[in-house]
Amino acid sequence: TEKLSHIYSAGTPFEHGALVDVDFTAYRGEYLGIIGRTGSGKSTLIQHLNALLKPTSGRVLFEGRDIWETKERTRQTRFQVGLVFQYPEYQLFEETVYRDIAFGPKNMGLNEQEVDEHVRFGAKFAGVDESLFEASPLDLSGGQKRRTALLRALWAASDTLLLDEPFTGMDPDTLAAAAALLRERRGEKPVLLATHDREAIRLLGWPVVELENA
């Protein structure tokens, strides 16, 4: 980002600068934590990086090109930069648990046997018994829903993955498993995690960028 600013409710008594002149760079291969207290602009920054929000001023560049230079470029960026929201369980949408876990591997172009292997491996990570494969994702527990939704994002073909507080409520063992899975599945594709949870960042062992804007 170059001098990125985002002003909410501009020109009203409720005007608020969520981001003001933010210069930020992430490099290929980085696993980076973006930390700050509530209201510091973490989610706003994350949503600019895959073109969900348009800057009030300044620029957002991906691989050196302004993501808003054309409509085609903006659309391309949304495919290249994946985003998992703060409550990833709300991103479940397939009819069955099996199909939801299989969504990412299928989009990667894997054959039926490879997809099946990915699903069974992922189900173990998510704590989902295979007897639930034909159940609705909505029937899973809260923790199972969250881990299932994370799996789909980890296997997405996006060049960059953005995570907006997806680990909230995870115990240290599950967090460690998620971190290991990120490394295994993402390799050198960058991952950026926005969080207020310093302990989670400490457990992950990632370098951090701190937002101080109130």
Side-chain angles (χ1 to χ4, degrees):
T1 68
E2 295 179 346
K3 301 297 181 186
L4 173 64
S5 294
H6 192 88
I7 311 301
Y8 288 108
S9 302
T12 77
F14 304 102
E15 181 174 309
H16 171 67
L19 300 171
V20 179
D21 292 336
V22 174
D23 292 317
F24 168 81
T25 304
Y27 297 95
R28 183 161 296 280
E30 279 194 320
Y31 286 63
L32 188 64
I34 301 172
I35 65 173
R37 62 184 182 275
T38 300
S40 61
K42 302 183 300 297
S43 293
T44 302
L45 175 60
I46 285 287
Q47 290 176 39
H48 275 86
L49 300 184
N50 84 327
L52 271 186
L53 292 177
K54 191 170 185 178
T56 303
S57 62
R59 298 199 302 164
V60 179
L61 299 98
F62 183 66
E63 296 180 339
R65 292 179 58 194
D66 190 331
I67 67 174
W68 290 97
E69 64 183 18
T70 64
K71 290 183 179 179
E72 291 74 18
R73 177 60 175 157
T74 303
R75 184 174 183 274
Q76 180 186 23
T77 299
R78 289 171 180 155
F79 280 102
Q80 291 178 293
V81 183
L83 173 61
V84 179
F85 290 100
Q86 184 169 2
Y87 300 102
E89 57 268 33
Y90 296 149
Q91 293 175 260
L92 298 170
F93 59 84
E94 288 285 1
E95 293 179 358
T96 68
V97 171
Y98 187 98
R99 290 175 61 179
D100 217 296
I101 299 176
F103 182 83
K106 282 184 177 179
N107 278 1
M108 292 167 62
L110 301 182
N111 63 42
E112 186 173 338
Q113 180 179 342
E114 290 171 326
V115 168
D116 187 70
E117 290 173 355
H118 275 64
V119 169
R120 295 181 190 282
F121 172 84
K124 290 181 181 179
F125 163 78
V128 175
D129 190 88
E130 293 183 9
S131 63
L132 296 173
F133 278 175
E134 296 307 311
S136 166
L138 301 180
D139 293 335
L140 299 177
S141 71
Q144 289 171 331
K145 288 178 183 177
R146 181 157 296 190
R147 291 190 289 271
T148 299
L150 278 172
L151 282 169
R152 188 171 63 242
L154 298 186
W155 285 323
S158 57
D159 294 321
T160 300
L161 180 61
L162 310 174
L163 305 173
D164 188 5
E165 300 267 18
F167 299 136
T168 301
M170 284 192 180
D171 60 76
D173 288 343
T174 303
L175 182 60
L181 196 60
L182 276 168
R183 288 287 184 185
E184 178 184 341
R185 298 293 172 181
R186 300 295 301 178
E188 291 301 304
K189 295 179 179 180
V191 179
L192 280 64
L193 166 65
T195 183
H196 68 278
D197 189 344
R198 294 177 183 272
E199 179 63 13
I201 289 292
R202 187 189 68 78
L203 290 170
L204 289 168
W206 296 0
V208 301
V209 171
E210 184 161 6
L211 294 180
E212 298 179 351
N213 194 35

Coordinates of all heavy atoms in Angstrom, one line a residue, residues 69-151:
E69 N -6.8 -0.3 -11.2 CA -6.5 0.4 -12.5 C -7.5 0.1 -13.5 O -7.8 1.0 -14.4 CB -5.1 0.1 -13.0 CG -4.9 -1.4 -13.4 CD -3.4 -1.7 -13.8 OE1 -2.5 -0.8 -13.5 OE2 -3.2 -2.7 -14.4
T70 N -8.1 -1.1 -13.5 CA -9.2 -1.4 -14.4 C -10.2 -2.4 -13.7 O -9.8 -3.0 -12.7 CB -8.7 -2.1 -15.7 OG1 -8.1 -3.4 -15.3 CG2 -7.7 -1.2 -16.5
K71 N -11.4 -2.5 -14.2 CA -12.3 -3.5 -13.6 C -11.8 -4.9 -13.7 O -12.0 -5.7 -12.8 CB -13.7 -3.4 -14.3 CG -14.5 -2.1 -14.0 CD -15.8 -2.1 -14.7 CE -16.6 -0.8 -14.4 NZ -17.9 -0.8 -15.1
E72 N -11.1 -5.2 -14.8 CA -10.6 -6.5 -15.0 C -9.5 -6.8 -14.0 O -9.4 -7.9 -13.5 CB -10.0 -6.6 -16.5 CG -11.1 -6.7 -17.6 CD -11.6 -5.3 -17.8 OE1 -11.0 -4.3 -17.4 OE2 -12.7 -5.2 -18.4
R73 N -8.6 -5.8 -13.7 CA -7.6 -6.0 -12.8 C -8.1 -6.2 -11.4 O -7.6 -7.0 -10.6 CB -6.6 -4.7 -12.8 CG -5.5 -4.8 -11.8 CD -4.6 -6.0 -12.0 NE -3.5 -5.9 -11.1 CZ -2.8 -7.0 -10.7 NH1 -3.1 -8.2 -11.2 NH2 -1.7 -6.9 -9.9
T74 N -9.2 -5.5 -11.0 CA -9.8 -5.6 -9.7 C -10.4 -7.0 -9.6 O -10.2 -7.7 -8.5 CB -10.9 -4.6 -9.5 OG1 -10.4 -3.3 -9.7 CG2 -11.5 -4.7 -8.1
R75 N -11.1 -7.5 -10.6 CA -11.6 -8.8 -10.5 C -10.6 -9.9 -10.4 O -10.7 -10.8 -9.7 CB -12.5 -9.0 -11.8 CG -13.2 -10.4 -11.8 CD -14.2 -10.5 -13.0 NE -14.9 -11.7 -13.0 CZ -14.5 -12.8 -13.5 NH1 -13.3 -12.9 -14.1 NH2 -15.2 -13.9 -13.5
Q76 N -9.5 -9.7 -11.2 CA -8.4 -10.7 -11.1 C -7.8 -10.8 -9.7 O -7.5 -11.8 -9.2 CB -7.3 -10.3 -12.2 CG -6.1 -11.2 -12.2 CD -5.0 -10.7 -13.1 OE1 -4.9 -9.6 -13.4 NE2 -4.2 -11.7 -13.6
T77 N -7.6 -9.6 -9.1 CA -7.0 -9.6 -7.8 C -7.9 -10.4 -6.8 O -7.3 -11.0 -5.9 CB -6.9 -8.1 -7.3 OG1 -6.0 -7.4 -8.2 CG2 -6.3 -8.0 -5.9
R78 N -9.2 -10.3 -6.9 CA -10.1 -11.0 -6.0 C -9.9 -12.5 -6.1 O -10.2 -13.2 -5.1 CB -11.5 -10.6 -6.2 CG -11.8 -9.1 -5.7 CD -13.1 -8.6 -6.1 NE -13.3 -7.3 -5.6 CZ -14.2 -6.4 -6.1 NH1 -14.9 -6.7 -7.2 NH2 -14.3 -5.2 -5.6
F79 N -9.5 -13.0 -7.3 CA -9.2 -14.4 -7.4 C -7.8 -14.7 -6.9 O -7.6 -15.8 -6.4 CB -9.3 -14.8 -8.9 CG -10.7 -15.0 -9.4 CD1 -11.4 -14.0 -10.1 CD2 -11.4 -16.2 -9.1 CE1 -12.7 -14.2 -10.5 CE2 -12.7 -16.4 -9.5 CZ -13.3 -15.4 -10.2
Q80 N -6.9 -13.8 -7.1 CA -5.5 -14.1 -6.7 C -5.2 -13.9 -5.2 O -4.3 -14.6 -4.6 CB -4.5 -13.1 -7.4 CG -4.4 -13.3 -8.9 CD -3.5 -12.3 -9.5 OE1 -3.8 -11.1 -9.6 NE2 -2.4 -12.8 -10.0
V81 N -6.1 -13.1 -4.5 CA -5.9 -12.9 -3.1 C -7.1 -13.4 -2.3 O -8.2 -12.7 -2.4 CB -5.6 -11.4 -2.8 CG1 -5.4 -11.1 -1.3 CG2 -4.5 -10.9 -3.6
G82 N -7.0 -14.5 -1.6 CA -8.1 -15.1 -0.9 C -8.3 -14.5 0.5 O -7.3 -14.0 1.1
L83 N -9.5 -14.5 1.0 CA -9.8 -13.9 2.3 C -10.7 -14.8 3.1 O -11.7 -15.2 2.6 CB -10.5 -12.5 2.1 CG -11.0 -11.8 3.3 CD1 -9.9 -11.5 4.3 CD2 -11.8 -10.5 2.9
V84 N -10.3 -15.0 4.3 CA -11.1 -15.8 5.3 C -11.5 -14.8 6.4 O -10.7 -14.1 7.0 CB -10.3 -16.9 6.0 CG1 -11.2 -17.6 7.0 CG2 -9.8 -17.9 4.9
F85 N -12.8 -14.6 6.5 CA -13.4 -13.6 7.4 C -13.2 -14.0 8.9 O -12.8 -15.1 9.2 CB -14.8 -13.3 7.1 CG -15.0 -12.6 5.8 CD1 -15.4 -13.3 4.7 CD2 -14.8 -11.2 5.7 CE1 -15.6 -12.6 3.5 CE2 -15.0 -10.5 4.5 CZ -15.4 -11.2 3.4
Q86 N -13.6 -13.1 9.8 CA -13.4 -13.3 11.2 C -14.2 -14.5 11.7 O -13.8 -15.2 12.6 CB -13.9 -12.1 12.0 CG -13.7 -12.2 13.5 CD -13.9 -10.8 14.2 OE1 -14.3 -9.8 13.5 NE2 -13.7 -10.8 15.5
Y87 N -15.4 -14.8 11.0 CA -16.2 -16.0 11.4 C -16.3 -16.9 10.2 O -17.3 -16.9 9.5 CB -17.5 -15.5 11.9 CG -17.5 -14.7 13.1 CD1 -17.6 -13.3 13.0 CD2 -17.2 -15.2 14.4 CE1 -17.5 -12.5 14.2 CE2 -17.1 -14.4 15.5 CZ -17.3 -13.1 15.4 OH -17.2 -12.3 16.5
P88 N -15.2 -17.6 9.9 CA -15.2 -18.4 8.7 C -16.3 -19.4 8.5 O -16.6 -19.9 7.4 CB -13.8 -19.1 8.7 CG -13.4 -19.1 10.2 CD -14.0 -17.9 10.7
E89 N -16.9 -19.8 9.7 CA -18.0 -20.8 9.6 C -19.2 -20.3 8.9 O -20.0 -21.1 8.3 CB -18.4 -21.2 11.1 CG -18.8 -20.1 12.0 CD -17.7 -19.5 12.8 OE1 -16.6 -19.5 12.3 OE2 -18.0 -19.1 13.9
Y90 N -19.3 -19.0 8.7 CA -20.4 -18.4 7.9 C -20.1 -18.5 6.4 O -21.0 -18.1 5.6 CB -20.6 -16.9 8.3 CG -21.1 -16.7 9.8 CD1 -20.7 -15.6 10.5 CD2 -21.8 -17.7 10.4 CE1 -21.2 -15.4 11.8 CE2 -22.2 -17.6 11.7 CZ -21.9 -16.4 12.4 OH -22.3 -16.3 13.7
Q91 N -18.9 -19.0 6.1 CA -18.6 -19.1 4.6 C -18.9 -20.5 4.1 O -18.5 -20.9 3.0 CB -17.1 -18.7 4.4 CG -16.9 -17.2 4.6 CD -15.4 -16.9 4.5 OE1 -14.7 -16.7 5.5 NE2 -14.9 -16.8 3.3
L92 N -19.4 -21.4 5.0 CA -19.8 -22.7 4.6 C -21.1 -22.6 3.7 O -22.0 -21.9 4.1 CB -20.1 -23.6 5.8 CG -18.9 -23.8 6.7 CD1 -19.4 -24.5 8.0 CD2 -17.8 -24.7 6.0
F93 N -21.1 -23.3 2.6 CA -22.3 -23.2 1.7 C -22.7 -24.4 0.9 O -23.7 -24.4 0.3 CB -22.0 -22.0 0.7 CG -20.8 -22.3 -0.2 CD1 -20.9 -23.1 -1.3 CD2 -19.6 -21.7 0.1 CE1 -19.8 -23.3 -2.1 CE2 -18.5 -21.9 -0.7 CZ -18.6 -22.7 -1.8
E94 N -21.9 -25.5 0.9 CA -22.3 -26.7 0.2 C -23.3 -27.4 1.0 O -23.6 -27.2 2.2 CB -21.0 -27.6 0.0 CG -20.0 -27.0 -1.0 CD -20.5 -27.2 -2.5 OE1 -21.6 -27.7 -2.7 OE2 -19.8 -26.8 -3.4
E95 N -24.0 -28.4 0.3 CA -25.1 -29.2 0.9 C -24.6 -30.2 1.9 O -25.3 -30.5 2.8 CB -25.9 -29.9 -0.2 CG -26.6 -28.9 -1.2 CD -27.4 -29.6 -2.3 OE1 -27.3 -30.9 -2.3 OE2 -28.0 -29.0 -3.1
T96 N -23.4 -30.7 1.7 CA -22.9 -31.7 2.6 C -21.5 -31.4 3.1 O -20.8 -30.6 2.5 CB -22.8 -33.1 2.0 OG1 -21.8 -33.1 1.0 CG2 -24.1 -33.5 1.3
V97 N -21.1 -31.9 4.2 CA -19.8 -31.7 4.8 C -18.7 -32.1 3.8 O -17.7 -31.4 3.6 CB -19.6 -32.5 6.1 CG1 -18.2 -32.4 6.6 CG2 -20.5 -31.9 7.2
Y98 N -18.9 -33.3 3.2 CA -17.9 -33.8 2.2 C -17.7 -32.8 1.1 O -16.5 -32.5 0.7 CB -18.4 -35.2 1.7 CG -17.3 -35.8 0.8 CD1 -16.5 -36.8 1.3 CD2 -17.2 -35.5 -0.6 CE1 -15.5 -37.4 0.5 CE2 -16.2 -36.1 -1.3 CZ -15.4 -37.1 -0.8 OH -14.4 -37.7 -1.6
R99 N -18.8 -32.3 0.5 CA -18.7 -31.4 -0.6 C -18.0 -30.1 -0.2 O -17.3 -29.5 -1.0 CB -20.0 -31.2 -1.3 CG -20.5 -32.4 -2.0 CD -22.0 -32.3 -2.5 NE -22.1 -31.2 -3.4 CZ -23.2 -30.8 -4.0 NH1 -24.3 -31.5 -3.8 NH2 -23.2 -29.8 -4.9
D100 N -18.3 -29.7 1.0 CA -17.7 -28.4 1.5 C -16.2 -28.5 1.6 O -15.4 -27.7 1.2 CB -18.3 -28.0 2.8 CG -18.5 -26.5 2.8 OD1 -17.4 -25.8 2.8 OD2 -19.6 -26.0 2.9
I101 N -15.7 -29.6 2.2 CA -14.3 -29.9 2.4 C -13.6 -30.1 1.0 O -12.5 -29.7 0.8 CB -14.0 -31.0 3.3 CG1 -14.5 -30.8 4.7 CG2 -12.5 -31.3 3.4 CD1 -14.4 -31.9 5.7
A102 N -14.4 -30.7 0.1 CA -13.8 -31.0 -1.3 C -13.8 -29.8 -2.2 O -13.1 -29.8 -3.2 CB -14.7 -32.1 -1.9
F103 N -14.4 -28.7 -1.8 CA -14.5 -27.5 -2.7 C -13.1 -27.0 -3.1 O -12.9 -26.8 -4.3 CB -15.3 -26.4 -2.0 CG -15.5 -25.2 -2.8 CD1 -16.5 -25.1 -3.8 CD2 -14.6 -24.1 -2.7 CE1 -16.7 -24.0 -4.6 CE2 -14.8 -23.0 -3.5 CZ -15.9 -22.9 -4.4
G104 N -12.2 -26.9 -2.2 CA -10.9 -26.4 -2.5 C -10.1 -27.3 -3.4 O -9.6 -26.9 -4.4
P105 N -9.9 -28.6 -3.0 CA -9.2 -29.5 -3.8 C -9.8 -29.6 -5.2 O -9.0 -29.8 -6.2 CB -9.3 -30.8 -3.1 CG -9.5 -30.4 -1.6 CD -10.3 -29.2 -1.7
K106 N -11.1 -29.6 -5.4 CA -11.7 -29.7 -6.7 C -11.3 -28.4 -7.6 O -10.9 -28.6 -8.7 CB -13.2 -29.7 -6.6 CG -13.7 -31.1 -6.3 CD -15.3 -31.1 -6.3 CE -15.8 -32.5 -6.1 NZ -17.3 -32.6 -6.1
N107 N -11.3 -27.3 -6.9 CA -10.8 -26.1 -7.7 C -9.4 -26.1 -8.0 O -9.0 -25.3 -8.9 CB -11.1 -24.8 -6.8 CG -12.6 -24.4 -6.9 OD1 -13.4 -25.0 -7.6 ND2 -13.0 -23.3 -6.3
M108 N -8.6 -26.9 -7.3 CA -7.2 -27.0 -7.7 C -7.0 -28.0 -8.9 O -5.9 -28.1 -9.4 CB -6.4 -27.6 -6.5 CG -6.3 -26.7 -5.3 SD -5.7 -27.5 -3.8 CE -4.1 -28.1 -4.3
G109 N -8.1 -28.6 -9.4 CA -8.0 -29.5 -10.5 C -7.5 -30.9 -10.2 O -7.1 -31.6 -11.1
L110 N -7.7 -31.3 -8.9 CA -7.2 -32.7 -8.6 C -8.3 -33.7 -9.1 O -9.4 -33.3 -9.3 CB -7.1 -32.8 -7.1 CG -6.1 -31.8 -6.4 CD1 -6.1 -32.1 -4.9 CD2 -4.7 -31.9 -7.0
N111 N -7.8 -34.9 -9.3 CA -8.7 -35.9 -9.8 C -9.6 -36.4 -8.6 O -9.3 -36.1 -7.4 CB -8.0 -37.1 -10.5 CG -7.0 -37.8 -9.5 OD1 -7.3 -38.1 -8.4 ND2 -5.8 -38.2 -10.1
E112 N -10.5 -37.3 -8.9 CA -11.5 -37.7 -7.8 C -10.8 -38.4 -6.7 O -11.1 -38.2 -5.5 CB -12.5 -38.7 -8.5 CG -13.6 -39.0 -7.5 CD -14.7 -39.8 -8.2 OE1 -14.8 -39.8 -9.5 OE2 -15.5 -40.5 -7.5
Q113 N -9.8 -39.3 -7.0 CA -9.1 -40.0 -5.9 C -8.3 -39.0 -5.0 O -8.3 -39.1 -3.8 CB -8.2 -41.0 -6.5 CG -7.4 -41.8 -5.4 CD -6.5 -42.9 -5.9 OE1 -6.6 -43.3 -7.1 NE2 -5.5 -43.4 -5.1
E114 N -7.6 -38.0 -5.6 CA -6.8 -37.1 -4.9 C -7.7 -36.2 -4.0 O -7.4 -35.9 -2.9 CB -6.0 -36.2 -5.9 CG -4.9 -36.9 -6.5 CD -4.2 -36.1 -7.6 OE1 -5.0 -35.4 -8.3 OE2 -3.0 -36.3 -7.8
V115 N -8.9 -35.8 -4.6 CA -9.9 -35.0 -3.8 C -10.3 -35.8 -2.6 O -10.4 -35.3 -1.5 CB -11.1 -34.6 -4.7 CG1 -12.2 -34.0 -3.8 CG2 -10.7 -33.6 -5.7
D116 N -10.6 -37.1 -2.8 CA -11.1 -37.9 -1.7 C -10.0 -38.0 -0.6 O -10.3 -37.9 0.6 CB -11.4 -39.3 -2.2 CG -12.1 -40.2 -1.1 OD1 -13.2 -39.9 -0.7 OD2 -11.4 -41.1 -0.6
E117 N -8.7 -38.2 -1.0 CA -7.7 -38.2 0.0 C -7.5 -36.9 0.8 O -7.3 -36.9 2.0 CB -6.3 -38.5 -0.7 CG -6.3 -40.0 -1.3 CD -5.0 -40.2 -2.1 OE1 -4.3 -39.2 -2.4 OE2 -4.8 -41.3 -2.6
H118 N -7.7 -35.8 0.1 CA -7.6 -34.5 0.7 C -8.8 -34.4 1.7 O -8.6 -33.8 2.8 CB -7.7 -33.4 -0.3 CG -6.4 -33.0 -0.9 ND1 -5.6 -33.9 -1.7 CD2 -5.6 -31.9 -0.8 CE1 -4.5 -33.3 -2.0 NE2 -4.5 -32.1 -1.6
V119 N -9.9 -34.8 1.3 CA -11.1 -34.6 2.2 C -10.9 -35.4 3.5 O -11.2 -35.0 4.6 CB -12.4 -35.1 1.5 CG1 -13.6 -35.2 2.5 CG2 -12.7 -34.1 0.4
R120 N -10.5 -36.7 3.4 CA -10.3 -37.5 4.6 C -9.2 -37.0 5.5 O -9.3 -37.1 6.7 CB -10.1 -39.0 4.1 CG -11.3 -39.5 3.4 CD -11.2 -41.0 3.0 NE -12.3 -41.3 2.1 CZ -13.6 -41.6 2.5 NH1 -13.8 -41.6 3.8 NH2 -14.5 -41.8 1.7
F121 N -8.1 -36.5 4.9 CA -7.1 -35.9 5.7 C -7.6 -34.7 6.4 O -7.3 -34.5 7.6 CB -5.9 -35.5 4.8 CG -4.8 -34.7 5.5 CD1 -3.8 -35.4 6.2 CD2 -4.8 -33.4 5.4 CE1 -2.8 -34.6 6.9 CE2 -3.8 -32.6 6.0 CZ -2.8 -33.3 6.8
G122 N -8.3 -33.8 5.7 CA -8.8 -32.6 6.2 C -9.8 -32.8 7.3 O -9.9 -32.1 8.3
A123 N -10.7 -33.9 7.2 CA -11.7 -34.2 8.2 C -11.0 -34.5 9.5 O -11.5 -34.1 10.6 CB -12.5 -35.4 7.7
K124 N -9.9 -35.2 9.5 CA -9.2 -35.5 10.7 C -8.7 -34.2 11.4 O -8.8 -34.1 12.6 CB -8.0 -36.4 10.4 CG -8.4 -37.8 10.0 CD -7.2 -38.7 9.8 CE -7.6 -40.1 9.3 NZ -6.4 -41.0 9.1
F125 N -8.2 -33.3 10.6 CA -7.8 -32.0 11.1 C -9.0 -31.3 11.8 O -8.9 -30.7 12.8 CB -7.1 -31.1 10.1 CG -7.1 -29.7 10.4 CD1 -6.1 -29.2 11.3 CD2 -8.0 -28.7 9.9 CE1 -6.0 -27.9 11.6 CE2 -7.9 -27.4 10.3 CZ -6.9 -27.0 11.1
A126 N -10.1 -31.3 11.1 CA -11.3 -30.6 11.5 C -12.0 -31.3 12.7 O -13.0 -30.7 13.2 CB -12.2 -30.3 10.4
G127 N -11.6 -32.5 13.0 CA -12.3 -33.2 14.1 C -13.7 -33.7 13.6 O -14.6 -33.8 14.5
V128 N -13.8 -34.0 12.3 CA -15.1 -34.4 11.8 C -15.0 -35.9 11.5 O -14.2 -36.3 10.6 CB -15.4 -33.6 10.5 CG1 -16.7 -34.1 9.9 CG2 -15.6 -32.1 10.9
D129 N -15.9 -36.7 12.1 CA -15.9 -38.1 11.8 C -16.5 -38.3 10.4 O -17.4 -37.6 10.0 CB -16.8 -38.8 12.8 CG -16.7 -40.3 12.7 OD1 -15.7 -40.9 13.4 OD2 -17.5 -40.9 12.0
E130 N -16.0 -39.4 9.7 CA -16.5 -39.6 8.4 C -17.9 -40.0 8.3 O -18.6 -39.9 7.3 CB -15.6 -40.7 7.7 CG -14.2 -40.3 7.5 CD -13.3 -41.4 6.8 OE1 -13.9 -42.4 6.4 OE2 -12.1 -41.2 6.7
S131 N -18.5 -40.4 9.4 CA -19.9 -40.6 9.5 C -20.8 -39.4 9.2 O -22.0 -39.5 8.9 CB -20.3 -41.2 10.8 OG -20.1 -40.3 11.9
L132 N -20.1 -38.2 9.3 CA -20.8 -36.9 9.1 C -20.7 -36.4 7.7 O -21.2 -35.3 7.4 CB -20.3 -35.9 10.1 CG -20.6 -36.2 11.6 CD1 -19.8 -35.1 12.5 CD2 -22.1 -36.1 11.9
F133 N -20.0 -37.1 6.8 CA -19.7 -36.6 5.5 C -21.0 -36.2 4.7 O -21.0 -35.3 4.0 CB -19.0 -37.6 4.7 CG -17.5 -37.6 5.0 CD1 -16.6 -38.5 4.4 CD2 -16.9 -36.6 5.8 CE1 -15.3 -38.5 4.6 CE2 -15.5 -36.6 6.1 CZ -14.7 -37.5 5.5
E134 N -22.1 -36.9 5.0 CA -23.3 -36.6 4.2 C -24.3 -35.7 5.0 O -25.4 -35.4 4.5 CB -24.1 -37.9 3.8 CG -23.3 -38.8 2.9 CD -22.8 -38.0 1.6 OE1 -23.7 -37.4 1.0 OE2 -21.6 -38.1 1.3
A135 N -23.8 -35.2 6.2 CA -24.6 -34.3 6.9 C -24.4 -32.9 6.4 O -23.5 -32.6 5.6 CB -24.2 -34.3 8.4
S136 N -25.3 -32.0 6.8 CA -25.2 -30.6 6.4 C -24.0 -29.9 7.2 O -23.9 -30.2 8.4 CB -26.5 -29.8 6.7 OG -26.2 -28.4 6.6
P137 N -23.2 -29.1 6.6 CA -22.2 -28.3 7.4 C -22.8 -27.6 8.6 O -22.1 -27.3 9.6 CB -21.6 -27.4 6.4 CG -21.9 -28.0 5.1 CD -23.2 -28.7 5.2
L138 N -24.1 -27.2 8.4 CA -24.7 -26.4 9.5 C -25.0 -27.3 10.7 O -25.3 -26.7 11.8 CB -26.0 -25.9 9.0 CG -25.9 -24.9 7.8 CD1 -27.3 -24.4 7.4 CD2 -25.0 -23.7 8.1
D139 N -24.9 -28.6 10.6 CA -25.1 -29.5 11.7 C -23.8 -29.7 12.6 O -23.9 -30.4 13.6 CB -25.6 -30.9 11.3 CG -27.0 -30.8 10.6 OD1 -27.7 -29.9 11.0 OD2 -27.3 -31.6 9.8
L140 N -22.7 -29.2 12.1 CA -21.4 -29.4 12.8 C -21.4 -28.5 14.1 O -22.1 -27.5 14.1 CB -20.2 -29.1 11.9 CG -20.1 -29.9 10.7 CD1 -18.9 -29.4 9.8 CD2 -19.9 -31.4 11.0
S141 N -20.5 -28.8 15.0 CA -20.3 -27.9 16.1 C -19.6 -26.6 15.7 O -19.0 -26.6 14.5 CB -19.4 -28.6 17.2 OG -18.1 -28.7 16.7
G142 N -19.5 -25.6 16.5 CA -18.9 -24.3 16.1 C -17.4 -24.5 15.8 O -17.0 -24.0 14.8
G143 N -16.7 -25.3 16.6 CA -15.3 -25.5 16.3 C -15.1 -26.3 15.0 O -14.2 -26.0 14.2
Q144 N -15.9 -27.3 14.7 CA -15.8 -28.1 13.5 C -16.1 -27.2 12.3 O -15.5 -27.3 11.3 CB -16.8 -29.3 13.6 CG -16.4 -30.3 14.5 CD -17.5 -31.4 14.7 OE1 -18.7 -31.1 14.6 NE2 -17.1 -32.6 15.0
K145 N -17.1 -26.4 12.4 CA -17.4 -25.5 11.3 C -16.3 -24.6 11.0 O -15.9 -24.4 9.8 CB -18.7 -24.6 11.6 CG -20.0 -25.3 11.7 CD -21.1 -24.3 12.1 CE -22.4 -25.0 12.2 NZ -23.5 -24.0 12.7
R146 N -15.6 -24.0 12.0 CA -14.5 -23.1 11.8 C -13.3 -23.8 11.1 O -12.7 -23.3 10.2 CB -14.1 -22.5 13.1 CG -12.9 -21.5 13.0 CD -12.9 -20.5 14.2 NE -14.1 -19.7 14.2 CZ -14.3 -18.7 15.0 NH1 -13.4 -18.3 15.8 NH2 -15.4 -18.0 15.0
R147 N -13.0 -25.0 11.6 CA -11.9 -25.7 11.0 C -12.2 -26.2 9.6 O -11.3 -26.1 8.7 CB -11.5 -26.8 11.9 CG -10.9 -26.4 13.2 CD -10.3 -27.5 14.0 NE -11.3 -28.4 14.6 CZ -11.8 -28.3 15.7 NH1 -11.5 -27.2 16.5 NH2 -12.7 -29.1 16.2
T148 N -13.4 -26.5 9.3 CA -13.8 -27.0 8.0 C -13.7 -25.8 7.0 O -13.2 -25.9 5.9 CB -15.3 -27.5 8.0 OG1 -15.3 -28.7 8.9 CG2 -15.7 -27.9 6.6
A149 N -14.2 -24.6 7.4 CA -14.1 -23.4 6.6 C -12.6 -23.1 6.3 O -12.3 -22.7 5.2 CB -14.8 -22.3 7.2
L150 N -11.8 -23.2 7.3 CA -10.4 -22.9 7.1 C -9.7 -23.8 6.1 O -8.9 -23.4 5.3 CB -9.6 -23.0 8.5 CG -9.7 -21.8 9.4 CD1 -9.1 -22.2 10.7 CD2 -9.0 -20.6 8.8
L151 N -10.1 -25.1 6.1 CA -9.6 -26.0 5.2 C -9.8 -25.6 3.8 O -8.9 -25.7 2.9 CB -10.2 -27.4 5.4 CG -9.7 -28.2 6.6 CD1 -10.6 -29.4 6.8 CD2 -8.3 -28.7 6.3

